Amino acid sequence: MQSMKAKFVSFWRALFRDPVLSFGVVSLLLLLALAIAPAKDHFSEWRHYQQQYLRLIRDRGDAVTLQRHFQGGIRQIWLPELGVVDRCQSCHTGLGEASLVDVSAQPFRRHPVIPHRLDEFGCVVCHRGQGAATTAAEAHHSTLAREEPLLPARYIEASCGQCHHVALAGTPKLNEGRDLLGRYGCVRCHTVRLPDGSTMTATDNPPPLTHIASKTTREWIYAWLQNPSSYAASVTMPDFQMGDEDARDISAFLIANSEPLPGGLAAITSTTAKSAPDPAAGPSLYGESFCASCHAVQNAAGNLVGGDIGPELTRVGTKVKPEWLRAWLRDPRTYNSHTLMPRYRWTDQQLSIVSAYVESKADSDFLANVRLQPATAQQIANGKALVMQYGCAVCHDIRGISKPANYAPELSRVGSKPLAQIVFINGMAKTLPDYLNGKIRHPRAFGPGLRMPQYTFTPEQVDALTTALLSLTDRSFTLPTHLKIPAQPSATYQPAGHAGKLMAELNCVACHRMNGRGGDMAPDLSWEGSAVQRPWLDDFLKNPNTLRPALIRRMPRFNLSDSERAELTDYFMTVYQKPDIDREAMPLSGYSPALVEQGRQLFYSKYSCQSCHMVNTQQDKGYIGPPLTQVGSRLNAAWIYHWLKNPQALRPGTIEPNQNMSDEDAGAITAFLMMQKTAGKQEAKR
Amino acid sequence: MRRLFWIAGTYVLLLVAGCGRQPAASPAAHATAFGAAIVESSGGKQLGTPGAALPQPLVVQVNDAQGNAVAGAPVSFSGPAGVGFDPTDGVTDSNGQVTTNVTLGGTSGRYELRAASPDKSGRPFTVNITELALGYQEQVGYSVDQNYCARCHDQESSAERVSNYDNLAVKPHAFIDGQTLNMLTDADLTAIINHGGPALNRSALMPPYGATLSKAEVQALIAYIRLVSDPPWRAAGVVYAKR
């Protein structure tokens, strides 16, 4: 110890023994201290990457161009409007170089093609991370308070959704996630407010439970509550992981709380003729009525066959009471005024056949082990408390229980939720996407007493939902207005008058779009009156089996009366017209043979329409567009002409291309097509 | 001093042992058989998204010299950086197959994966599997393809979408047909999409889409065609392969 001290003292004296020497030493120390900053700068990470980049491009064929583009030093994109200060390009030097397509090493890879410019949007708007950081670790992974790590690539579409609230072709995952939020009723419990001030609405259609006792039994409700997906694979109702007693009490309450149907089932079904129907008649009427366009049934191989507009019917005979089913099939709106099911005008005989066939789709195993004692008053009271606790009334109408508001946390800005507010479970990665993903997969794993039920989403669906939730960020609210692209407001169009009531009863908008509202399964009817001839429409409503015989989803026959049909036809022909098409402008027949022949040649040679359409069933095979064998009896000449000139203008998104046809060519092809008439009609004219 | 030396020595040894690569639990430990060839059963050439799991699992099969499936043979999967396998190693089941779930790397492009299994002498035989990650542009191209092109260019028919391929007098080329499509430059493809088959003296059954699709959609469609092309197009983008 003594020697150490002695050494230090002698060292001190050697340095500071006279003023001149001390001055020199202190100056040297100062100089060293001043050198620290430039040295740090010189050895910085980004400079290292820039040198690597210069070495990488040195030997390339396009070196001169790349070197000319290269700018050294810290490079920064500053967008005060978006709050962006991005220095990412200090290391990612080749982001904008299209010719670096063969370089896979990061950070030198070029940016894949996107519809935006880097200098207009910066990097962190899409990728998150800390734009102002100058080291990779800090820029990519920092999770300090108010900072966020990079968004993993699998969720990158979430970033598009901050500005774009309409579905884009390039973001299928985001589109699916948004669709699922509505289709599974997520937004019934969780409010999601969008930046344009609107609120996301659910697109599912949970049935009211007001008259549930007339529809099904307590045993079925009990089994269903315990595991909805064991009844049908495609259900949207989640599993509340309910115990026996809860299911027992809730089913007791729902049955006791149900009120009888106005008029009663017996009154509606009293005219039943109890004749045993022909066993083949059921499937054939079910098929003819195109029930499968909306309802799916599991086939022998376990695959669902049919549409997803209505509920799956695989085990429906186990669920519904026969007398209820008959009443329902006769007029669905008596039971549920919001149902999508149209009213088929079946005869009593047909009603018996269809209901017997649907009732036969049963599975006795589903209720095999259910034995319930009669409900006690205490069970019913407890059931009511449980119904409120589980929040059943958020989705279902239940008599005497009001819809709870804000039942679950609002998710309008969940994509920017600070990590400090999140309770993670052990063993999971502590990031927001992992939290959302885990929460959707196993909601109850995040703590006792959580009420969110268990869904049966596939991993792809969970990813899609996470993407949709991650798009709900703070930034989406603070964007400058010109960058916000709001979703199409949902149209509330409703056809007017008596015909409008009839169309509501048939629920045309479940499949057809009209004036911006409706489904996309069947053609848009907004301009149907300009397109078709009146006799054809009348015939079609009588027997809608003529167009596109190979499609499996088709228009059902509603058995309309003559007056109903006339009323609908008149309404269509008058109301659904395109203003700039005068359907009388071109005649329906009487074209000169020369013009027709010219049209035929154009049809078969120059435009090769036969690749998609059939005119002559003997030689044409094209089967993408509808067959045109009788198009002259179906469409108006003016409509055909305008369609040929620009199909997308008449039906946006139709796959027939706009061929830039001249007026002359379009006129000739129209003449040729108008000659393709129904055989019977042609003879009648002669 | 000597004790200090010992402590330091032990420390360094421990450090080296700790940092050293953990000898992975070798699948060969459970292996009971060895094959002579490995083939892809299903799950190759899928269209995925960067950073996400592929929709279908990847299945490979190990066969012996006679082409019969071998049960109990070890298989290991490998791929370029960023690609994940669950599981990475496996032993073939009674059908001679191993199934793994693949997660692609974070960037779009063509991923070349490899499955390997050792033969009796311990030398590995391998099979290469290609998977595709669609970037934004290719995704747009894919949706254009599905809306407009696939009805004729895709031979696969389903109940939802009946293929028109068999109805055409002149058969269209599938988009994976690299033998033909790689002969066409981007300008050729743009011309044939915009102006129809006659633009390149080909069939008029291919109609013009120039007035229907936007310029960006046509470019996206070409990017998609180039990505799915087999054999790969020379400038189809980055090839992620383990060196």
Side-chain angles (χ1 to χ4, degrees):
Chain A
M1 214 60 203
Q2 279 297 324
S3 68
M4 283 278 271
K5 193 176 174 187
K7 265 181 194 165
F8 182 75
V9 169
S10 71
F11 182 63
W12 184 264
R13 282 197 187 136
L15 286 179
F16 299 104
R17 64 174 173 261
D18 65 55
V20 177
L21 194 65
S22 333
F23 181 73
V25 169
V26 171
S27 309
L28 204 71
L29 284 174
L30 185 71
L31 218 66
L32 276 174
L34 283 177
I36 289 173
K40 246 176 97 176
D41 183 58
H42 182 76
F43 295 109
S44 62
E45 202 177 353
W46 54 268
R47 201 179 288 277
H48 164 74
Y49 284 127
Q50 289 186 351
Q51 281 158 2
Q52 260 191 5
Y53 176 73
L54 288 174
R55 277 201 296 279
L56 177 86
I57 61 174
R58 198 170 49 199
D59 301 325
R60 293 172 60 94
D62 48 2
V64 179
T65 323
L66 289 173
Q67 276 160 358
R68 205 172 54 229
H69 290 177
F70 173 76
Q71 290 172 346
I74 293 266
R75 293 191 55 203
Q76 176 170 298
I77 300 171
W78 181 40
L79 303 167
E81 217 181 15
L82 293 170
V84 161
V85 183
D86 284 357
R87 296 171 176 164
C88 313
Q89 281 180 294
S90 309
C91 297
H92 293 274
T93 35
L95 276 189
E97 300 292 353
S99 66
L100 290 180
V101 65
D102 54 325
V103 173
S104 65
Q106 284 291 36
F108 308 123
R109 206 185 163 223
R110 66 155 195 163
H111 197 283
V113 182
I114 48 164
H116 294 304
R117 287 166 53 97
L118 285 181
D119 50 2
E120 278 176 11
F121 287 89
C123 310
V124 297
V125 171
C126 298
H127 291 281
R128 306 198 179 182
Q130 280 64 245
T134 51
T135 64
E138 210 180 319
H140 296 174
H141 304 300
S142 176
T143 53
L144 299 174
R146 291 169 55 77
E147 296 190 351
E148 47 187 12
L150 282 185
L151 186 66
R154 65 205 275 206
Y155 304 119
I156 196 73
E157 287 172 20
S159 302
C160 310
Q162 298 179 103
C163 307
H164 297 271
H165 295 275
V166 285
L168 298 170
T171 59
K173 204 183 261 189
L174 174 67
N175 304 349
E176 192 200 350
R178 283 177 171 164
D179 180 51
L180 288 171
L181 283 178
R183 196 141 52 82
Y184 280 83
C186 310
V187 294
R188 286 185 188 273
C189 290
H190 299 279
T191 309
V192 176
R193 260 179 264 282
L194 299 175
D196 62 353
S198 63
T199 308
M200 270 182 102
T201 48
T203 53
D204 59 343
N205 194 7
L209 306 182
T210 326
H211 313 296
I212 185 77
S214 57
K215 178 178 182 178
T216 187
T217 59
R218 188 178 158 210
E219 282 72 21
W220 184 84
I221 299 177
Y222 172 84
W224 161 264
L225 284 174
Q226 289 195 318
N227 187 0
S229 57
S230 71
Y231 168 72
S234 62
V235 292
T236 48
M237 167 128 161
D239 183 359
F240 285 81
Q241 301 181 332
M242 224 175 253
D244 288 355
E245 284 175 13
D246 285 7
R248 181 195 66 198
D249 294 357
I250 291 181
S251 61
F253 167 70
L254 288 177
I255 293 291
N257 191 46
S258 166
E259 58 184 12
L261 270 179
L265 284 177
I268 304 170
T269 52
S270 60
T271 54
T272 319
K274 283 276 177 196
S275 63
D278 171 18
S284 116
L285 188 54
Y286 184 89
E288 265 171 42
S289 306
F290 291 105
C291 304
S293 291
C294 297
H295 295 281
V297 170
Q298 223 171 39
N299 64 11
N303 297 320
L304 276 183
V305 181
D308 61 357
I309 293 182
E312 183 187 330
L313 299 182
T314 311
R315 298 184 181 87
V316 69
T318 317
K319 173 184 178 182
V320 300
K321 297 179 174 172
E323 62 274 19
W324 176 87
L325 183 60
R326 279 182 61 89
W328 168 263
L329 291 172
R330 181 184 297 271
D331 183 7
R333 268 166 194 74
T334 314
Y335 180 79
N336 174 5
S337 56
H338 299 298
T339 182
L340 292 174
M341 170 103 172
R343 181 156 83 84
Y344 284 75
R345 277 97 171 124
W346 277 313
T347 62
D348 278 348
Q349 172 73 17
Q350 285 173 318
L351 269 178
S352 302
I353 294 171
V354 175
S355 63
Y357 177 65
V358 172
E359 195 69 30
S360 73
K361 295 179 182 300
D363 175 7
S364 53
D365 291 349
F366 184 67
L367 296 178
N369 298 319
V370 182
R371 300 276 180 276
L372 290 175
Q373 304 298 323
T376 64
Q378 199 213 337
Q379 283 175 4
I380 293 171
N382 188 35
K384 182 169 187 177
L386 286 169
V387 162
M388 289 201 265
Q389 189 192 323
Y390 280 108
C392 309
V394 176
C395 299
H396 298 281
D397 289 345
I398 301 173
R399 198 165 62 95
I401 296 184
S402 56
K403 209 169 269 274
N406 301 325
Y407 186 71
E410 182 175 332
L411 298 181
S412 308
R413 295 181 179 220
V414 71
S416 296
K417 192 170 171 128
L419 295 182
Q421 292 178 12
I422 294 176
V423 180
F424 290 99
I425 46 175
N426 287 338
M428 74 183 293
K430 293 196 169 36
T431 70
L432 182 61
D434 283 296
Y435 167 74
L436 293 175
N437 198 298
K439 187 88 182 164
I440 296 167
R441 273 185 293 141
H442 303 293
R444 300 271 175 97
F446 284 76
L450 290 175
R451 292 179 297 188
M452 176 155 160
Q454 177 72 47
Y455 285 84
T456 47
F457 292 123
T458 64
E460 286 85 34
Q461 286 178 319
V462 176
D463 269 12
L465 278 168
T466 309
T467 305
L469 292 178
L470 284 169
S471 76
L472 307 169
T473 58
D474 285 341
R475 192 188 288 282
S476 67
F477 283 85
T478 58
L479 283 169
T481 16
H482 71 273
L483 290 180
K484 288 181 190 166
I485 302 171
Q488 294 271 323
S490 58
T492 52
Y493 167 74
Q494 185 65 50
H498 192 258
K501 244 165 107 182
L502 186 58
M503 283 160 75
E505 203 179 272
L506 298 174
N507 215 341
C508 307
V509 288
C511 305
H512 292 281
R513 212 172 173 76
M514 292 171 186
N515 294 337
R517 178 182 168 216
D520 58 358
M521 187 156 88
D524 190 319
L525 298 182
S526 308
W527 296 323
E528 187 72 357
S530 300
V532 301
Q533 299 173 23
R534 196 183 187 290
W536 177 85
L537 183 58
D538 194 55
D539 267 7
F540 183 76
L541 289 173
K542 196 188 285 177
N543 187 17
N545 285 343
T546 39
L547 282 178
R548 301 183 189 243
L551 287 190
I552 44 166
R553 305 274 160 79
R554 279 161 59 188
M555 167 123 161
R557 190 167 66 194
F558 295 115
N559 310 308
L560 297 169
S561 71
D562 286 355
S563 66
E564 284 175 332
R565 225 169 51 231
E567 189 181 354
L568 267 189
T569 314
D570 284 342
Y571 192 84
F572 267 96
M573 296 309 290
T574 317
V575 175
Y576 295 119
Q577 295 201 58
K578 191 168 194 308
D580 54 352
I581 295 183
D582 174 10
R583 65 180 178 228
E584 264 83 51
M586 292 171 81
L588 294 181
S589 55
Y591 293 94
S592 75
L595 189 64
V596 171
E597 182 52 31
Q598 190 194 341
R600 174 196 303 281
Q601 285 179 11
L602 287 169
F603 184 93
Y604 281 109
S605 60
K606 184 173 177 187
Y607 296 106
S608 287
C609 310
Q610 76 276 18
S611 55
C612 301
H613 295 283
M614 273 181 255
V615 164
N616 178 345
T617 45
Q618 303 299 312
Q619 63 178 55
D620 305 340
K621 291 178 181 163
Y623 196 78
I624 292 184
L628 301 177
T629 46
Q630 297 167 8
V631 69
S633 307
R634 177 164 68 94
L635 296 179
N636 290 310
W639 175 267
I640 297 184
Y641 177 83
H642 281 91
W643 177 276
L644 289 170
K645 292 287 289 179
N646 187 357
Q648 277 77 29
L650 301 191
R651 190 163 294 158
T654 189
I655 76 168
E656 174 162 344
N658 176 352
Q659 309 227 27
N660 275 332
M661 222 176 255
S662 68
D663 295 357
E664 198 195 355
D665 286 4
I669 295 181
T670 305
F672 169 62
L673 289 178
M674 287 313 288
M675 295 315 284
Q676 315 304 321
K677 307 252 188 221
T678 315
K681 291 240 170 89
Q682 235 163 2
E683 274 159 25
K685 245 169 230 162
R686 281 172 201 160
Chain B
M1 203 65 194
R2 176 166 287 181
R3 201 163 51 166
L4 209 78
F5 195 80
W6 269 111
I7 290 168
T10 323
Y11 207 79
V12 166
L13 264 176
L14 276 174
L15 211 73
V16 167
C19 296
R21 210 147 170 219
Q22 285 286 328
S26 167
H30 316 284
T32 53
F34 297 97
I38 185 165
V39 291
E40 172 200 323
S41 289
S42 69
K45 275 251 155 185
Q46 293 187 64
L47 300 179
T49 40
L54 287 174
Q56 304 294 326
L58 172 63
V59 183
V60 295
Q61 180 171 336
V62 176
N63 293 332
D64 63 14
Q66 283 75 44
N68 301 318
V70 176
V75 175
S76 63
F77 296 95
S78 61
V83 176
F85 297 94
D86 177 29
T88 313
D89 304 292
V91 175
T92 54
D93 61 12
S94 56
N95 297 321
Q97 294 182 334
V98 173
T99 303
T100 185
N101 293 305
V102 183
T103 307
L104 297 179
T107 38
S108 59
R110 181 184 288 266
Y111 283 82
E112 279 171 12
L113 318 178
R114 174 171 288 192
S117 177
D119 63 10
K120 277 192 192 94
S121 58
R123 250 188 326 208
F125 47 92
T126 60
V127 61
N128 289 335
I129 299 128
T130 305
E131 305 288 1
L132 306 167
L134 301 181
Y136 174 83
Q137 203 187 20
E138 292 88 11
Q139 194 79 61
V140 174
Y142 173 73
S143 92
V144 171
D145 166 49
Q146 291 299 302
N147 279 345
Y148 297 99
C149 319
R151 309 211 178 198
C152 291
H153 285 273
D154 185 357
Q155 260 180 281
E156 292 291 315
S157 237
S158 66
E160 305 286 326
R161 190 178 68 200
V162 179
S163 172
N164 198 41
Y165 181 88
D166 292 333
N167 300 332
L168 296 170
V170 181
K171 299 299 178 200
H173 292 283
F175 287 169
I176 61 159
D177 178 8
Q179 302 282 8
T180 312
L181 295 180
N182 288 351
M183 295 294 163
L184 302 174
T185 61
D186 284 3
D188 287 343
L189 284 179
T190 310
I192 207 164
I193 294 168
N194 281 344
H195 305 297
L200 288 192
N201 227 350
R202 284 160 185 266
S203 168
L205 293 176
M206 165 73 200
Y209 277 92
T212 309
L213 301 177
S214 69
K215 209 177 153 194
E217 284 174 319
V218 174
Q219 282 171 353
L221 179 60
I222 294 174
Y224 168 75
I225 292 174
R226 296 310 194 194
L227 178 70
V228 298
S229 165
D230 180 28
W233 193 54
R234 58 193 151 75
V238 189
V239 175
Y240 294 96
K242 203 173 182 179
R243 290 267 158 79

